[in-house]
Each structure stands twice: as C-alpha cells, then as structure tokens.
Amino acid sequence: MARVAVIEDDLPTSNQLRAWIESARPGIAVDQWFSRDDAEAAIARERYDLVVLDIELGRERHAGVAIINAINKRHATPVLVVSAMPATIYRSIMKALDAWDYLQKATFEEADFIETFLEILRSVKEKPEPAAAAASDELSMDPLRQRTPTWRGHRINLPLTAQRILAVLFARRGQVVSYDELFEVVKSGRNRDNIRKHVSTIRDAFREIDPDFASIENIPMRGFRWADTESR
C-alpha cells in the first residue's frame, strides 16, 4: 500500500489535500504533519512513496526547503510542492532542489492536483528505464528522475506536462507530432493555444541555457517537430 505524507501547517488545507488524495487513490495511507520538526522526524522514521509539502510552515518561511534537503539525503522521495509562494519565482527554485512539481495555491483546481499527484505516483511505481540519449548527447531524458531532462549537461526546469510534451517530441525527433497527438499528452486544456503555451515554456527553458536553441520547429496548421542539429 502506498504511503504519502502531507506536510502543511494549515489544518483545513491539510485536510483538503488529504481528502483529494484519498478520493483519487482509495486505501492509500496518508500521514499529516504540521511542523518542520515533526515532518523531519517522520521522514527519518518512515519510507514514503510521495511527499506533498508547503514551503512556509509556521514562522519558518523556507521550512520546506530544509525538509526537501532532508528527504534527498535519505531516500530521494518525490516531492510535490503546494505553496502560496509565486510559481514564477519558486518553481525553478524547487526544481533545482529536485522537487517533482510545483502548484501555486489558489491557482489550481482539484482536478489539477489529482492529475499531477497520480502522474508522480505512477512514475515512481513504474520500472525505471535507461535514459534516452540524443544525437551528439545534447539532450538526455529519464521520465523517472526529475533532475532530468538535461541539455548539454545542464538541468532544464520544466513542469510535468511540459516534460511529457518534450518527451513525445524528442522520441519522434525528425517527425511531425500533430496537435491531436499532443492533446493525448496534455489530458486537460486540449486546445491549440494551450499546446503552444507549453511549447513556448519548453523553448524558454532551453534558451535559459542555450540562447541559440532552435530544435523545436513549428509546423503551421499541423503541430511541432524536434529537429536535431545535423538535420536542420
């Protein structure tokens, strides 16, 4: 039976997250912790399949950072951060700490949380696969390790949906991936504007590392294509 920790100092929010988790996966064991000390003690004592945590606990503004570091030192348990801190600032920080994803409070619905939660849980339960190497070893992807993908040795900070789109484009590099095919990856927001926004997020993340990145091509009216350097 899967075991999950919810680390959140606000009782109503903690109970809501627990209810969503239990509705999504009946029978799952959920432990609730409300302070950094109790959470770190539980992490040292228990082996969790997934941890959902807030960054700010009580008067400790960055207690969640310390907890993630404690997790990484022990079991590298996947962490889903749910925080009121601005996602534009803190998503990249949490990704750098190897958190799996970041949801900003008051900006997502129950369905968004459940989809992200179940995606992470499925990923950690699947059998690991070898990382796929790109031509010239420029892009490396491993769907089970959030410290990847990497581009030219540098970590790329992407939310899970964007990672799924990137994985499809890269797996079929040189071929056009249609909008309809990408709709199957997104699962929600199945429209072309949403797909284009995700692709824009991917391009921006690559260009933070490589300003000349241009491997993702827009194919008008059809979709997108990953084109390796030597094929462009």
Side-chain angles (χ1 to χ4, degrees):
M1 180 174 62
R3 192 175 193 87
V4 174
V6 174
I7 304 171
E8 165 63 62
D9 63 337
D10 181 70
L11 181 58
T13 301
S14 177
N15 287 339
Q16 182 179 62
L17 293 173
R18 177 174 183 165
W20 288 351
I21 291 169
E22 290 176 337
S23 69
R25 183 61 67 86
I28 196 170
V30 181
D31 293 340
Q32 292 170 271
W33 308 107
F34 303 92
S35 70
R36 172 182 169 181
D37 288 345
D38 289 345
E40 288 184 337
I43 289 165
R45 184 175 63 246
E46 304 286 349
R47 182 69 180 263
Y48 291 108
D49 295 282
L50 193 154
V51 172
V52 179
L53 67 75
D54 193 1
I55 298 173
E56 186 172 7
L57 300 174
R59 295 182 178 180
E60 290 192 77
R61 186 172 178 82
H62 295 108
V65 173
I67 293 171
I68 292 174
N69 286 329
I71 290 170
N72 290 339
K73 288 179 181 178
R74 291 182 176 274
H75 308 303
T77 303
V79 175
L80 171 58
V81 179
V82 179
S83 172
M85 304 290 195
T88 53
I89 298 173
Y90 281 87
R91 174 174 282 117
S92 61
I93 295 173
M94 294 300 106
K95 286 293 212 177
L97 293 171
D98 292 333
W100 278 62
D101 210 344
Y102 188 100
L103 296 176
Q104 183 178 338
K105 291 179 180 177
T107 67
F108 65 90
E109 304 292 336
E110 176 182 354
D112 299 317
F113 173 85
I114 289 175
E115 178 186 343
T116 303
F117 174 84
L118 291 177
E119 178 72 21
I120 297 172
L121 204 59
R122 282 193 295 267
S123 295
V124 299
K125 290 297 184 183
E126 290 172 356
K127 183 179 179 180
E129 299 176 358
S136 304
D137 294 325
E138 288 190 327
L139 178 65
S140 175
M141 296 196 70
D142 182 339
L144 303 185
R145 298 291 291 177
Q146 291 304 95
R147 64 194 61 185
T148 53
T150 61
W151 177 250
R152 296 178 177 172
H154 296 278
R155 201 178 310 170
I156 308 166
N157 293 317
L158 289 173
L160 281 176
T161 299
Q163 287 194 39
R164 291 196 293 264
I165 290 173
L166 174 60
V168 171
L169 293 174
F170 180 65
R172 294 182 53 190
R173 52 194 179 275
Q175 304 175 35
V176 178
V177 181
S178 70
Y179 282 103
D180 287 341
E181 291 170 306
L182 292 174
F183 290 161
E184 297 301 316
V185 177
V186 173
K187 298 183 181 179
S188 62
R190 294 181 176 181
N191 59 74
R192 295 192 175 197
D193 284 343
N194 193 40
I195 295 295
R196 285 191 286 265
K197 288 177 183 177
H198 285 301
V199 172
S200 178
T201 296
I202 294 169
R203 286 172 170 155
D204 288 345
F206 273 91
R207 286 168 182 163
E208 288 181 5
I209 299 167
D210 178 6
D212 296 324
F213 175 82
S215 290
I216 298 178
E217 298 179 337
N218 178 29
I219 309 302
M221 306 299 296
R222 296 177 62 193
F224 296 90
R225 175 175 60 202
W226 178 282
D228 288 327
T229 304
E230 60 268 26
S231 65
R232 293 201 306 271

